[in-house]
Amino acid sequence: MHVRINSDSNSNYALNKLSENSTLLLSSLSRISSGKKITTAVDDPAGLAQISKLKNQNIRIDSAINNNQNLLSFLYTQDSLLEKAVKASKRLSELSVLYNDITKNKSDKNNYKLEYDAILQSVQELSEKKYNGVSLFSGESMQTIIDESGNVRELTGINLKEAFKTNWGLNFNGVDDYGDIPNLTIDSSKYTIELKLGENTSGTAIGLMDSASMKNHFLLDTNWKNNISVWMTEGEVLTENAINDEYSISITADSSNGINTVLKAYQNGNYIATNTSASSIMNNLHTNHDWTIGQDWDVNTRTDYFSGTIHEIRIWDDIRTDEEISENFEKRLSGNEENLIGYWDFDSLSPEVDKSNNSNDIILNGTSWIDTTSNEGAGPSSFSRIENNLGQLRAIVGSRIASTRRNINMLLESKQNLSSAISTIENVDLATEATNHAKNKILQMSGIQALDISNIVSENILKLIYHLAVLIYLQCS
């Protein structure tokens, strides 16, 4: 009979199980204390990779939700301002009717006009509003990423200024329509003349001539032999190709050197040409005709009548800078700007009145005041179109608000599903883990007891062998 001490297979098995259960017990304790199934990469490499992927997707969803929430705030701001524009349109429509009440005196009408112009100014300010530095109504398209996959949503621009255009102007028939400005005098060696013109214009838009010398101190023809032309005492001095679209033209004249006049021309706020006239000053002679719009003079006979529409005229007694011209050619003025000596806004009530408060009113002859969009008379009917335009813009913004809300809800749902999937892979089930921990604890304690028993048996066998050896020794002695 062979006896093996401490190398019994059962003891080794018990020892291995004890080691295994101790490891499981430590892992169980780690999971319970952290609340995570995977505490090291060894626990579940594939699961760890999946969790990393899902968490990155969740981060992108959070960013997309943030984008959509910012867009929603942007759209709510647009809608709120459009609502104000609608109210302004209704009041302007009302004022345009009240202004033509035959029982209203000049003071009443002036009050209506002041309120009308103030509302127009406020609408212009609305159209220039920004949200965190981004224009709300520039009319330019915008793009934003709306989901975690990077899909882009493009939004066409909302142009409040364009939607609110009444497009009123003075129309000249090219036959015998004109206007005189008898009180206007330019006493400066520096001046700027600006006009906003309709489509397909031709003839003299504005000018000043001396009846004795038959020379133009200044004349602007919008289509002389297919050119926009500026004439002064020696004749034509500045030309640029004529255009058929609506546009703004600005001419600056600087004769401060007392020798000649440097002319610069701007179209829609952009510099286009320059030249120098031998004329050195704006001569305010007693033989001058009045400043006139819509015609030129042949001695004392009116000629070269203007054909087309003029929307606005501005005259300044200084040189407008490139920046001033570029920034303001589309803006409606208040009339109180510094150095403004004449301002006629034909896109407002009482087009003949000088809004610069210098009393340089125009005496009109035969012109018609029209809405160039509808080719009908200017007045309350234009606001039906404007209110329709604003209604369409609000409908567009409203549909975008609804769509953005849906995007946010879908992203929140996706985030919830992802979070649930991550939790299933990553988070421990405490009830199950507590059961496993108790089981592993019992198994560990059982293993320890088994090893203790094994050690006791081995110790007893050794004692027995010792006593047998002593007995054999005594018998042999």
Side-chain angles (χ1 to χ4, degrees), residues 91-92 95-96 99 105-123 332-336 345 348-350 353-357:
R91 180 55 179 165
L92 291 175
L95 289 171
S96 67
Y99 185 84
N105 58 36
K106 185 176 181 180
S107 177
D108 294 332
K109 290 190 173 186
N110 185 58
N111 289 334
Y112 287 145
K113 178 175 170 54
L114 289 174
E115 182 184 353
Y116 188 96
D117 290 339
I119 293 174
L120 285 179
Q121 198 72 25
S122 70
V123 172
R332 190 183 299 271
L333 302 181
S334 68
N336 299 316
D345 181 7
S348 179
L349 298 179
S350 57
V353 173
D354 175 16
K355 288 176 63 176
S356 73
N357 299 317

Side-chain angles (χ1 to χ4, degrees), residues 127-145:
S127 69
E128 296 170 353
K129 291 287 186 181
K130 294 183 178 182
Y131 182 94
N132 194 33
V134 179
S135 176
L136 286 156
F137 302 112
S138 69
E140 296 179 358
S141 296
M142 297 180 295
Q143 291 183 337
T144 183
I145 291 178

Side-chain angles (χ1 to χ4, degrees), residues 239-258:
T239 65
E240 186 65 23
N241 292 335
I243 58 176
N244 295 323
D245 298 329
E246 289 190 359
Y247 68 98
S248 292
I249 182 77
S250 302
I251 307 294
T252 66
D254 184 359
S255 58
S256 57
N257 61 12

Side-chain angles (χ1 to χ4, degrees), residues 318-331:
D318 73 341
I319 300 294
R320 307 301 286 168
T321 65
D322 292 1
E323 184 177 353
E324 287 172 331
I325 291 173
S326 176
E327 289 184 355
N328 294 291
F329 80 95
E330 285 188 306
K331 291 184 178 180

